[in-house]
Amino acid sequence: MSGSFFGLGGPADDPIARERAAFRASMPGASALDTRLESMALNDGLRDQLDEVHDTFNDETFDADSRVITGGDFDFFQSTTAGQGRMAPQQQQAAGAPRKVMTLAELEAQLIPQRHTPAPAPAPVARAPEVAWPPKLARADPETIAARRAERLQRQAALTKYDNLMSQRDKDFIIRIQVSQLLTDDPAADDFYCHMFQLSRGAVPAAGATQQRDGAGDGAGGDASSAVRALQEALAQRGVQAPVGGEPEQLGAGAQRDQHFGRARRSNTQSSMARMQQQVQRFVNEARRRPKIPHVALEGALGKISVNSARNPKQVIQVQRGHSSSVSHPAHDAKQQSPSAYDLGGVFSGLGDARSPAAERRKTLRAVENVYTAVLRLEQLIREHSRLPSSADHPSVQNWVRAYSEARDWAWAELGAAQPIMNVYPHPLVRFLAFSKGKRVIPRLAHHLSIDQVLALTTTIIANFESLDVCRFGSFGQSAESSISTRQREETELFLHAALPPALSFLSEASVQLVNGLLALFMERNNVAWVARTRPALVFLTVVLGRTAALKQAGALGAGDDPQALYQATELYNHLFGTLQGGLSSVFPPAALSQAGDPLEDAYAWQFLATLALGASVEQQHALVTEVRDKVLEAIQLAKSGRFPADVAAAITANINLFLNTLGLDASQVTM
Amino acid sequence: MLFYSFFKTQVGQQVTVELKNDLAIQGVLESVDQFLNIKLRDIHVVDPERYPHMLSIKNCFIRGSVVRYVQLSPSTVDTALLQDAARREAQSTQQMNQAKPNVAQA
């Protein structure tokens, strides 16, 4: 606890630092270079400067009264006789007091009066540099040179006095014990977080580490590399090596030394690193030969001794590991009584396969976790893919393909999107999506699914749209008094940002027939007027209508889509419009234009109206304008009212213009 | 090994370690080992008045078993990745527990 953690700075005047330095010196590869390092480490950079006690240069400021300094003329250069007079008694005290063993200090104490006395009258500027900073290089006195050499030899002798107490075999033994505790069977899995984190943040590989680790660490290389990295960190602490993990500020002193000794030191550490790697390799091979058993039972002894390592630490708490798949809790009323805590959208209060909502919930949770397991496996396989041989008929490639499709099929089965729609209510997929972690895994899984599977997923979502949890509370929250709670809002956001985009991107690339079919399905299975009040439904409709309009334009240009499908699209549109007519003003969220709400909340509603207007005929446009007129006026008034800063008002106007421009109007044309 | 792996990514970050004896130390994480022993540098104690003996200390080594909390900054943590790593860890311990009875008898 001396403040010199790395052994830098300060003379080695405590036995601990000395022994530490001694151990370091005795490490294999000690050479003249290390000795120089040592002396440099012990040297505190002040060379032949005065010890603190003898340095009287600033005594006037440090010992002085503040009034003296700020009051009359303060002479910084001690040119007055008063200053000198005060110095003399102090010197005598200082020189007498610390009778240290160091000969150098004694000599310098004698030298001080010689330095100070012949300097009374001349210009203060000339005096100042003579005394203290910057330190002059080697003085020509043969005495001081000899004194310094003697001093250095003494220090060396003191340090090497206890060298070579341990043989190399002893050191290997100890290192083997420590390293063997770090060794793991599967370093890629054990160090997963660290490895992937560094990859994602742009890892800086440690200097001198030659092993490149990829996701599926193989055999001996993998084992050794994790242990070697641990050792590298240990070395880095001692300031011997360049930093790990891209944090150069950690070892400023080490960086300084780098500049001084450059290549020579680097090769020195590299060779010791290489030696350590060989050692670790040997340990790994030995550990491999005998498999590690957590319990050791000797012959004729009573009982077992448990061997603790990092992998199976000493257990502090006893956890009962029963079979967690049993679902027999018929009288689980607690969860039923407070559904709001668990089940925001009322999704779990419907009928299901299992006996109770709680059991149903647990089943769905198990399915979500299985999908996660499968997705992790898929991602791992993708990472391994790069390491496979390129020829297609190599057995490992076939294994890979089989493993990949197995995992994918399992995930698909667990997802439940392919289950027939009529069986249970709510649909298993809907229950799956009721959890936020279910919503989060969808985009990751969709990345691996085939087009058909994505289509099936989209179809199922559309067919059951109104039973989705986000739609259920989205619609409940439309009454005047209540507003959507924070958690519901988060779930909706998550749904729109995670679960829906794969379906939407599929839609935006789909053909006319597909889009028509899906829109028809949507209108058939859901109560459009009711569900149109919810944001997810509006977003979905916006995308569908936008796609239809784009396809119609392409068809008008003669891009080759069959006209019957386009005609059908128009029919569907009319049907949709008819259903929505009369309720269009309820498309807007209730709290949007009130005092407390965010005025830009209704952007999605304006976007929907804009896409709706795209496909509208003239009469439909008239009807549209009539219905939404009040809202438009209100919004324009709000923008002009000056209650909001300029950019917010501009954004409100832009939203309105989205809608008005498709009709050929503009907000500025509206006269109040 | 999950916590060890996690703390390895925190090396170089400012953390606050609260010990079981209510001493809270703020510093830059220097290193961590398999037992979650922690080395900190450039430390300062959160409540210096109660612990005047810590004024001069710059670096410290904290035994893992005396740590109660480690406070981190959230921007240095990738929670989705952490969830994945936790799932993998759970799977591997499950596999190990299933395999154990066989090994012990062997």
Side-chain angles (χ1 to χ4, degrees), chain A residues 177-188:
Chain A
I177 294 174
Q178 293 176 339
V179 169
S180 66
Q181 290 193 344
L182 287 175
L183 292 181
T184 58
D185 293 326
D186 187 6

Side-chain angles (χ1 to χ4, degrees), chain A residues 180-521:
Chain A
S180 66
Q181 290 193 344
L182 287 175
L183 292 181
T184 58
D185 293 326
D186 187 6
D190 283 337
D191 208 23
F192 183 73
Y193 181 81
C194 184
H195 189 223
M196 299 304 295
F197 187 87
Q198 286 176 346
L199 277 183
S200 68
R201 303 279 169 124
V204 175
T210 46
Q211 286 119 329
Q212 288 301 318
R213 299 189 14 163
D214 48 22
D218 68 315
D223 277 358
S225 66
S226 78
V228 163
R229 277 186 20 159
L231 285 170
Q232 280 173 3
E233 288 163 30
L235 280 179
Q237 289 167 24
R238 295 191 194 147
V240 174
Q241 201 197 5
V244 177
E247 298 293 340
E249 314 87 68
Q250 262 186 5
L251 301 168
Q256 270 179 14
R257 277 189 270 160
D258 252 346
Q259 293 162 16
H260 288 283
F261 292 105
R263 194 179 307 157
R265 190 176 72 79
R266 228 178 285 139
S267 67
N268 186 29
T269 56
Q270 271 177 356
S271 65
S272 47
M273 270 307 305
R275 221 170 295 126
M276 206 148 315
Q277 280 174 14
Q278 289 168 9
Q279 280 181 336
V280 168
Q281 201 65 32
R282 255 183 283 138
F283 300 154
V284 165
N285 294 334
E286 223 185 87
R288 285 284 198 78
R289 276 194 299 122
R290 22 187 133 144
K292 261 186 289 206
I293 320 170
H295 301 283
V296 171
L298 297 172
E299 297 293 329
L302 300 168
K304 299 184 278 192
I305 307 170
S306 60
V307 174
N308 287 338
S309 73
R311 289 298 288 148
N312 57 332
K314 189 163 79 168
Q315 258 195 318
V316 180
I317 309 173
Q318 301 293 329
V319 177
Q320 278 202 315
R321 281 197 165 268
H323 283 287
S324 48
S325 55
S326 65
V327 187
S328 54
H329 288 281
H332 229 121
D333 287 331
K335 281 192 189 144
Q336 290 175 5
Q337 280 161 11
S338 58
S340 55
Y342 286 94
D343 188 15
L344 284 181
V347 169
F348 288 106
S349 41
L351 302 168
D353 286 337
R355 272 161 282 170
S356 68
E360 195 56 50
R361 189 168 176 272
R362 230 174 291 139
K363 213 170 76 150
T364 315
L365 280 171
R366 166 88 10 225
V368 174
E369 283 301 319
N370 287 340
V371 171
Y372 265 100
T373 314
V375 168
L376 285 176
R377 210 180 292 169
L378 286 171
E379 287 173 357
Q380 178 72 16
L381 286 169
I382 293 286
R383 276 194 289 271
E384 283 174 15
H385 182 72
S386 55
R387 291 178 56 242
L388 289 177
S390 50
S391 64
D393 49 356
H394 200 273
S396 64
V397 176
Q398 289 169 345
N399 280 341
W400 186 91
V401 170
R402 194 162 22 94
Y404 188 83
S405 39
E406 253 182 61
R408 193 174 63 178
D409 295 336
W410 184 45
W412 182 246
E414 289 292 327
L415 184 59
Q419 289 193 22
I421 294 175
M422 291 307 201
N423 267 355
V424 292
Y425 177 83
H427 192 266
L429 180 62
V430 171
R431 270 182 261 130
F432 190 99
L433 289 173
F435 295 105
S436 53
K437 58 177 173 175
K439 294 185 184 91
R440 281 201 189 99
V441 80
I442 294 287
R444 289 172 71 175
L445 177 60
H447 179 72
H448 301 280
L449 291 176
S450 67
I451 291 283
D452 289 329
Q453 287 169 328
V454 176
L455 170 61
L457 177 67
T458 314
T459 317
T460 320
I461 292 180
I462 290 173
N464 294 291
F465 213 94
E466 61 179 5
S467 50
L468 282 171
D469 61 328
V470 287
C471 288
R472 279 174 147 195
F473 52 70
S475 218
F476 290 153
Q478 292 296 323
S479 55
E481 315 85 39
S482 71
S483 58
I484 313 179
S485 77
T486 322
R487 197 181 140 185
Q488 290 172 343
R489 208 182 290 264
E490 277 173 20
E491 291 286 326
T492 319
E493 288 288 325
L494 190 56
F495 180 77
L496 289 170
H497 290 296
L500 207 45
L504 294 180
S505 58
F506 170 76
L507 271 173
S508 52
E509 315 253 309
S511 69
V512 195
Q513 293 94 339
L514 263 175
V515 175
N516 284 344
L518 290 173
L519 185 54
L521 182 63

Side-chain angles (χ1 to χ4, degrees), chain A residues 522-644:
Chain A
F522 180 78
M523 289 197 290
E524 182 191 315
R525 294 268 309 171
N526 302 299
N527 181 352
V528 182
W530 184 79
V531 85
R533 290 201 219 124
T534 64
R535 188 168 159 196
L538 286 175
V539 170
F540 164 71
L541 283 172
T542 313
V543 172
V544 166
L545 291 174
R547 176 68 182 159
T548 319
L551 285 167
K552 265 197 207 158
Q553 267 190 351
L557 297 172
D561 273 329
D562 68 303
Q564 196 184 25
L566 292 172
Y567 175 71
Q568 228 178 13
T570 322
E571 283 297 301
L572 283 168
Y573 177 88
N574 292 334
H575 184 72
L576 177 68
F577 197 91
T579 332
L580 287 173
Q581 202 164 10
L584 276 173
S585 53
S586 64
V587 153
F588 289 88
L593 303 178
S594 68
Q595 318 290 34
D598 176 17
L600 297 173
E601 238 181 29
D602 52 354
Y604 68 91
W606 291 115
Q607 281 168 358
F608 168 68
L609 289 172
T611 36
L612 196 60
L614 269 180
S617 66
V618 185
E619 310 90 45
Q620 286 168 332
Q621 282 182 3
H622 277 313
L624 198 52
V625 172
T626 329
E627 286 196 41
V628 223
R629 170 194 191 73
D630 294 329
K631 286 283 178 187
V632 174
L633 290 174
E634 226 183 286
I636 295 179
Q637 229 173 10
L638 198 66
K640 287 191 184 158
S641 69
R643 230 175 345 129
F644 301 104

Side-chain angles (χ1 to χ4, degrees), chain A residues 44 73 95 114 125 134 207 347 437 640:
Chain A
D44 57 359
D73 287 327
Q114 298 174 16
V125 185
V347 169
K437 58 177 173 175
K640 287 191 184 158

